[in-house]
Amino acid sequence: MKRVIVDYKKLNQTILELLVQKYPDGYEDRDIISFKNAKNEVIECVEVKTEDTTYLVKISKRLIEAMEDFDPDSPEIIDV
C-alpha cells in the first residue's frame, strides 16, 4: 500500500469526501498523526484510506473549514 502526504491545496473532491465520511464530527487529538519531515519540521496529519493508498492529509485551518463546509451534492470541485 502506498502512502501519500496531501496538502490542502492539492486536496481533491474524493479525498475530501473520504475525510468527511471518516470524521463526520471533525477529528480529535487521538486521530492526529505527527512526524518530522526532512527539514525537521513537525507535520500533523489525519489519515484516510482507499483500497490501494493511505492518504495523510496535512492539518490546517483551511482543511477544517473545507470539511465543515463540505456538501456532497455540491457541483463544486476542489482542483488537484
Side-chain angles (χ1 to χ4, degrees):
M1 181 172 284
K2 107 181 140 166
R3 293 181 73 150
V4 178
I5 299 172
V6 181
D7 190 67
Y8 171 81
K9 296 171 196 157
K10 296 185 180 184
L11 194 64
N12 64 32
Q13 186 76 13
T14 303
I15 299 170
L16 181 57
E17 189 171 338
L18 289 170
L19 279 169
V20 172
Q21 287 174 0
K22 184 170 182 178
Y23 308 107
D25 298 321
Y27 51 84
E28 297 181 20
D29 288 342
R30 68 173 184 252
D31 301 316
I32 298 172
I33 299 168
S34 298
F35 61 92
K36 290 189 179 184
N37 65 9
K39 296 178 184 178
N40 210 29
E41 301 167 322
V42 175
I43 306 296
E44 293 184 325
C45 303
V46 288
E47 180 182 82
V48 290
K49 295 180 182 181
T50 61
E51 289 181 20
D52 62 344
T53 306
T54 298
Y55 293 97
L56 298 174
V57 183
K58 291 182 184 179
I59 294 174
S60 70
K61 183 175 181 173
R62 292 188 66 187
L63 172 63
I64 295 166
E65 291 170 355
M67 288 177 67
E68 289 173 348
D69 296 340
F70 179 75
D71 178 3
D73 298 323
S74 172
E76 180 181 333
I77 295 182
I78 297 172
D79 292 329
V80 177

